[in-house]
Amino acid sequence: MATLQNFIDGDFVDASGTGALDVVDPRTEQVVATSPISDASDVDRAMAAAAAAFPGWKAATPSARQKALLALADAIEGASDRLVEAQVRNTGQVASFVATEEVAVGADQMRFFAGAARDPRGLTSGEFAEGLTSQVRREPIGVVAQVTPWNYPLMMALWKIGPALAAGNTIVLKPSDTTPESTLVLAELTRGILPDGVFNVVLGDASTGTLLTEHPVPGLVAITGSVRAGRAVATSGAAGLKRVHLELGGKAPVVVFPDVDIEASAQAICEAGFFNAGQDCTAATRVIVHRSIHDEFVDALVKAAESTVTGPNDEAFYGPLNNARHFAAVTKAVEGLPEHATIRTGGFRVGDTGFYFAPTIIADVKQDDDIVQNETFGPVLTVQAFDTDDEALELANGVRYALASSVWTENHRVAQRFARDLDFGCVWINTHIPLVAEMPHGGFKESGYGKDLSAYSIDDYTRIKHVMSAH
């Protein structure tokens, strides 16, 4: 069983903190590693390393940063087996899924950030007052603190470090306490590619995360996590007037019109809802279907759900929920349904060992039900009926989250209206869940603010300076 270490200033080092955490494989419920709870001295050490490395990394030319990120992308691809093994041990995800959807896609995303490093955006210099020339400089912020979640440990780390490094920042990152190992493999891959101190990893629990966000050194704190965690980061960052980048929860609506192919659409929506065991803030969770096809569509969803495999076997579409506490929360949410709601399929544990939860379809829910309003973060879809376009929009927008959504129709007019009026950071039409490096990812309302992916994410990791010179 491994005893994990922090990665600071280019080396793996023991933490000073005396606390420790067990890292559990959710497939077997067995402890596979021990991870330290880093204390204030560990965070100070990492911040000092990042601060010392910042002047050199800031001064590096865009082409030099691009070269480093391209080399890191190659290293990620070359270490695919190691990354997959480390991550699956902590997440229980299907290994082929991690290889294709996180390692391969993550390397591609890193190559995008490498290219974007050489294309900074800003206003052209010019004369806007007589006798004076103005220019706008886009500069790195400095040291940034980053906190990543357990649902996609490697990919979320790459989404965070890619734009931050491309912009010229240095980093102190804390991975989730339940899934630290793939991030440590990533840290090892940076050796010889990034200068020492540019990328640092400290391990720990929520208390360690608070030490990061409250530390005086970082100029920005970025987190992907729950609304509760986002509020805590925003509150602690406010004391130092830090910039905060929040990518939080979701409760994505899927609005289905009667002109769709019912069976094909139901299958695609189930895949988007059960992807990664539903542990995805963009997952399809609330199916809002026209009343004229409601019953037939529910039947199609049930059929698709019952053909979806989970459990400890090679044919599984998704693996277990990440940890015992989360498994208990998903179970409680489903078992606590009001009397009017109907579990059409699923709603139970699969097997006796591991945190596996069956694909679940729940019909007859109402808009104010907890299962509709609050993020379940599991393989659970609810179904509601609508009669008019206005009613569909009211149901879709009537939650506190605003990250992702989709509309399913062959009617161009309807699709365009819903693309405009769905109050979410992403609207998919006749699909749900694909992401590309070139397009921004982020939401509104309690789903947070700030963008991952795309050139917009690099903007978030920069500051703007106006320079004016007299002729």
Side-chain angles (χ1 to χ4, degrees), residues 249-447:
K251 195 70 177 174
V254 177
V255 183
V256 182
F257 283 85
D259 58 348
V260 300
D261 180 320
I262 290 177
E263 188 167 325
S265 298
Q267 180 66 40
I269 289 165
C270 279
E271 290 176 1
F274 302 144
F275 190 78
N276 201 35
Q279 298 171 129
D280 189 313
C281 50
T282 64
T285 59
R286 298 184 293 129
V287 181
I288 301 168
V289 58
H290 194 273
R291 193 174 304 276
S292 65
I293 62 166
H294 173 271
D295 293 350
E296 187 178 358
F297 204 82
V298 171
D299 290 342
L301 289 171
V302 169
K303 179 182 177 183
E306 291 180 344
S307 68
T308 302
V309 179
T310 187
N313 61 72
D314 294 337
E315 288 74 39
F317 178 69
Y318 66 84
L321 299 174
N322 180 253
N323 56 76
R325 184 172 60 182
H326 183 53
F327 179 84
V330 173
T331 302
K332 181 180 178 181
V334 174
E335 290 181 347
L337 292 172
E339 289 185 2
H340 57 257
T342 305
I343 298 177
R344 290 293 305 272
T345 190
F348 53 84
R349 181 176 192 156
V350 174
D352 298 322
T353 303
F355 306 126
Y356 296 96
F357 201 88
T360 302
I361 305 294
I362 303 173
D364 306 317
V365 295
K366 298 180 180 179
Q367 183 70 5
D368 58 356
D369 290 343
D370 285 344
I371 199 74
V372 172
Q373 289 294 318
N374 298 312
E375 187 174 39
T376 308
F377 220 57
V380 179
L381 276 68
T382 62
V383 189
Q384 298 166 270
F386 74 90
D387 292 300
T388 67
D389 291 9
D390 288 344
E391 183 185 10
L393 284 166
E394 184 178 359
L395 293 172
N397 292 333
V399 294
R400 60 193 176 116
Y401 302 98
L403 182 59
S405 60
S406 61
V407 56
W408 298 69
T409 180
E410 296 302 316
N411 187 313
H412 179 75
R413 178 192 62 79
V414 171
Q416 290 303 303
R417 183 198 173 183
F418 275 71
R420 180 194 67 192
D421 292 344
L422 282 168
D423 188 21
F424 295 84
C426 177
V427 179
W428 285 290
I429 299 173
N430 294 325
T431 188
H432 193 109
I433 227 166
L435 296 168
V436 291
E438 294 83 358
M439 291 292 111
H441 172 76
F444 315 134
K445 293 166 39 177
E446 292 193 19
S447 290

Side-chain angles (χ1 to χ4, degrees), residues 5-51:
Q5 296 175 294
N6 291 333
F7 182 80
I8 298 175
D9 205 19
D11 284 318
F12 286 101
V13 296
D14 290 333
S16 299
T18 56
L21 299 160
D22 288 338
V23 180
V24 174
D25 185 333
R27 299 168 300 178
T28 64
E29 303 181 52
Q30 298 298 308
V31 176
V32 294
T34 301
S35 180
I37 301 176
S38 298
D39 64 12
S41 64
D42 297 312
V43 174
D44 286 343
R45 183 177 180 182
M47 292 296 176

